[in-house]
Amino acid sequence: MIMEERIKQLNEKNAMESRPFVVYWMQSSQRAEYNHALEYAIRQANRLEKPLVVYFGITDGFPEANERHYAFMLEGLKETKNALEQRGIQLLIRKISPEKGALEMTESAAQLVVDRGYLRIERQWRAALAEDAECAVVQVESNVIVPVELASPKEEYSAATLRSKLKKVLPDCLAPLEETICKHPSIDLELPYEAYDILDVAASLDGLDIDRSVLRVSDYIGGTGEAKQWLEEFIENKLAGYSERKNRPGESFTSNLSPYLHFGQISPLYVYRRLMGMDSESQQSFLEELVVRRELAVNFVYYNEQYDSYAAVPDWAKKTLDKHLADERGYLYLLEELEAAKTHDDYWNAAQLEMNLTGKMHGYMRMYWAKKILEWSSTPEEAYRKAIYLNNKYLLDGRDPNGFAGVSWCFGKHDRPWGERAIFGNVRFMNDKGLKRKFDMQLYMDQVAER
Ligand code: FAD
């Protein structure tokens, strides 16, 4: 059973039973396992006695995406295509704007199933498709553990307010997802659309007209198999030390799952279930991040239309930052100087370099990094824009609800007022002395320098 709160029909059309197949438009859940949208689509196809075709549209123009992001995505899609074929299902990849391709697919589809995305563009695509499609369009939510509207009907104030709501419904959302066998294979189905070949990732990257200013990285390879390996390595070697050591920048005690979660290459429910029964402080601490913090970010972008601008920062924070607008800034940096990691602050430079070179930045350093951009910019609006720009350009997990929530947190979102200081007012402050006192920062800088 897939809980009904995960399923939502987006239009009032019926299934068109004379049509030859059912389509699953894969967009945000780019995986062949533990994917509620996929399993739902298989069950619908079986019920209608039809094959299921999975469709994925690659656009050159996804906002802020560059070669680094596309390479990771294509690596994952290649594996997903093979895994679907093992299940008798064809993955048709087309080079087309995803929602346009999906609309064309609905001309021959009995029904279209789509997974759920929370960012503006993902929601607009689905809404436009539901309106224009002739057949039923059904959305199935699989990239969160608790469906966003079930978790809360409104924007939450903080992790504490969401945590208590999640606690009540979480047990209902943890059911395992059984795989259904596809009754009518679609692998050999001839489709009247040109497929985009991704079996050679480098060649398919070359065929895309994309921003090539940020290069592919080898530290993280896309794909469900890679994600599961990171997870197993985490459980085996890091989980026990997670709560004590996750914040230490020079040590690697986190899961590194964020790029995989971002592209939907691994299911958060699968990750949660893998850790069930391991009752420890570290397990609790990890699940707090995976469930409460991550789903608070989803709650934020879903209910706050201004999630990607400084306007989403709470009024108390804007007021206090405004009050300190005229405070003298010791340093002001141009975007180019930040991007090139050329500031006076070695810790900050190391964090920026880590992001530039590996496509990821240690979680604790992300807070310090964004706080310093606030301190070194003439206005908080300008700082916000620079932080989002760099975050989304270089991080493999960028352009994600977590990124918008994480940057906004550094400006006071989901946080509370602290003691007043220059520039920050009552917004929480961080400094290099704190880093030096708490951590072996030389270790962190040496690691980045070795890259
Ligand atoms: P782990 O510690 O292993 O955590 C497991 C999972 O829990 C993560 O993969 C992530 O999905 C979730 N998680 C962990 N910490 C947080 C958090 N603070 N908020 C929400 N979810 C969390 N995360 C992104 O995925 N994309 C971003 O673009 C992003 N930008 C950030 C920018 C700033 C300024 C800040 C302060 C945080 C940002 N984060 C972002 C959140 C967090 O830093 C990363 O999710 C985490 O560092 C990813 O590493 P991991 O998978 O090894 O984490």
Side-chain angles (χ1 to χ4, degrees):
M1 268 288 286
I2 296 176
M3 70 191 298
E4 62 186 55
E5 286 86 349
R6 292 196 189 275
I7 304 167
K8 193 187 235 175
Q9 182 155 348
L10 300 182
N11 59 11
E12 289 177 0
K13 319 261 168 68
N14 295 319
M16 304 186 73
E17 303 210 8
S18 60
R19 302 271 184 86
F21 47 78
V22 168
V23 171
Y24 162 33
W25 170 21
M26 179 181 278
Q27 194 264 322
S28 67
S29 303
Q30 298 173 20
R31 58 183 181 271
E33 56 180 71
Y34 249 84
N35 179 341
H36 295 85
L38 172 65
E39 298 307 326
Y40 177 86
I42 295 173
R43 291 169 202 183
Q44 290 300 305
N46 286 352
R47 188 179 61 79
L48 293 167
E49 298 293 347
K50 296 183 191 300
L52 171 72
V53 173
V54 179
Y55 150 77
F56 189 93
I58 295 189
T59 168
D60 294 324
F62 197 94
E64 298 178 281
N66 54 48
E67 182 172 315
R68 176 170 293 180
H69 305 118
Y70 277 100
F72 189 87
M73 181 176 83
L74 288 169
E75 286 158 0
L77 282 173
K78 180 177 165 180
E79 184 186 334
T80 297
K81 186 173 167 62
N82 288 334
L84 285 171
E85 278 171 11
Q86 299 289 319
R87 298 182 67 184
I89 302 167
Q90 177 173 169
L91 171 58
L92 170 70
I93 298 181
R94 298 178 61 196
K95 191 174 156 197
I96 187 168
S97 191
E99 83 296 6
K100 290 204 183 100
L103 183 62
E104 285 179 15
M105 301 293 293
T106 62
E107 287 161 15
S108 2
Q111 186 182 359
L112 183 138
V113 178
V114 62
D115 42 37
R116 188 166 200 176
Y118 306 94
L119 301 187
R120 191 174 300 109
I121 186 169
E122 297 176 305
R123 292 164 65 177
Q124 284 169 348
W125 279 347
R126 287 159 179 77
L129 174 72
E131 194 169 316
D132 296 342
E134 286 177 16
C135 65
V137 174
V138 181
Q139 173 183 271
V140 184
E141 190 165 8
S142 193
N143 283 0
V144 286
I145 294 174
V146 179
V148 63
E149 285 132 332
L150 178 66
S152 169
K154 64 178 177 68
E155 185 183 358
E156 287 298 325
Y157 186 73
S158 67
T161 62
L162 182 66
R163 190 181 298 112
S164 57
K165 292 183 178 169
L166 286 175
K167 223 173 179 179
K168 289 187 197 135
V169 288
L170 188 63
D172 301 334
C173 304
L174 297 176
L177 180 62
E178 305 293 341
E179 283 194 1
T180 303
I181 292 170
C182 219
K183 286 207 282 189
H184 303 278
S186 60
I187 301 188
D188 297 325
L189 212 61
E190 293 280 339
L191 296 168
Y193 307 104
E194 193 185 341
Y196 191 62
D197 187 354
I198 62 152
L199 288 184
D200 179 342
V201 170
S204 52
L205 265 180
D206 283 347
L208 295 171
D209 182 18
I210 51 175
D211 171 5
R212 302 197 186 269
S213 61
V214 186
L215 298 179
R216 192 173 172 179
V217 285
S218 54
D219 301 71
Y220 305 97
I221 311 288
T224 303
E226 287 281 333
K228 286 165 87 174
Q229 264 183 37
W230 281 110
L231 175 61
E232 295 309 316
E233 140 91 2
F234 174 69
I235 292 171
E236 182 83 15
N237 300 319
K238 303 177 180 176
L239 178 63
Y242 182 78
S243 69
E244 200 189 325
R245 300 166 82 170
K246 68 173 176 178
N247 284 338
R248 299 183 190 171
E251 298 186 33
S252 170
F253 266 84
T254 67
S255 69
N256 287 328
L257 285 177
S258 54
Y260 302 91
L261 287 162
H262 169 70
F263 284 93
Q265 294 175 355
I266 193 163
S267 142
L269 178 61
Y270 174 85
V271 176
Y272 188 106
R273 289 189 55 82
R274 191 64 193 81
L275 269 81
M276 270 162 98
M278 300 177 188
D279 214 6
S280 67
E281 197 187 323
S282 276
Q283 182 245 29
Q284 289 303 315
S285 165
F286 180 78
L287 294 180
E288 165 75 12
E289 304 295 352
L290 180 76
V291 185
V292 180
R293 287 285 164 183
R294 183 169 179 274
E295 299 198 2
L296 179 65
V298 170
N299 169 280
F300 170 53
V301 303
Y302 183 65
Y303 287 113
N304 191 322
E305 288 189 359
Q306 296 174 309
Y307 68 82
D308 51 353
S309 81
Y310 179 69
V313 168
D315 286 343
W316 70 262
K318 280 191 212 135
K319 230 186 240 171
T320 190
L321 289 168
D322 274 357
K323 190 177 147 199
H324 288 270
L325 260 184
D327 292 359
E328 194 186 334
R329 269 88 174 134
Y331 301 90
L332 286 174
Y333 290 109
L334 298 171
L335 180 63
E336 299 75 57
E337 292 169 312
L338 296 173
E339 198 158 4
K342 291 217 175 323
T343 76
H344 67 286
D345 179 334
D346 290 342
Y347 301 159
W348 193 93
N349 294 344
Q352 179 66 40
L353 274 181
E354 185 190 8
M355 169 159 92
N356 290 0
L357 298 173
T358 70
K360 207 164 171 283
M361 189 198 295
H362 189 276
Y364 196 87
M365 291 308 292
R366 296 190 199 210
M367 297 188 268
Y368 180 76
W369 171 84
K371 293 275 181 193
K372 289 291 144 185
I373 298 179
L374 173 58
E375 190 177 324
W376 301 334
S377 300
S378 321
T379 65
E381 287 91 332
E382 182 195 317
Y384 184 94
R385 279 196 300 274
K386 284 178 180 161
I388 289 285
Y389 171 82
L390 295 171
N391 190 89
N392 289 355
K393 181 169 177 181
Y394 290 99
L395 292 174
L396 279 170
D397 62 25
R399 307 169 301 126
D400 185 275
N402 276 350
F404 295 109
V407 169
S408 303
W409 178 85
C410 293
F411 290 71
K413 183 77 194 168
H414 298 145
D415 203 5
R416 65 171 172 85
W418 293 71
E420 193 161 3
R421 325 187 42 122
I423 305 175
F424 287 79
N426 299 106
V427 169
R428 190 197 295 243
F429 166 81
M430 285 173 82
N431 69 4
D432 54 349
K433 288 197 191 81
L435 291 181
K436 205 171 172 179
R437 196 177 58 246
K438 291 188 204 151
F439 309 118
D440 181 352
M441 290 306 293
Q442 194 56 49
L443 189 63
Y444 177 62
M445 291 196 302
D446 289 348
Q447 274 172 10
V448 175
E450 272 168 27
R451 288 300 319 241

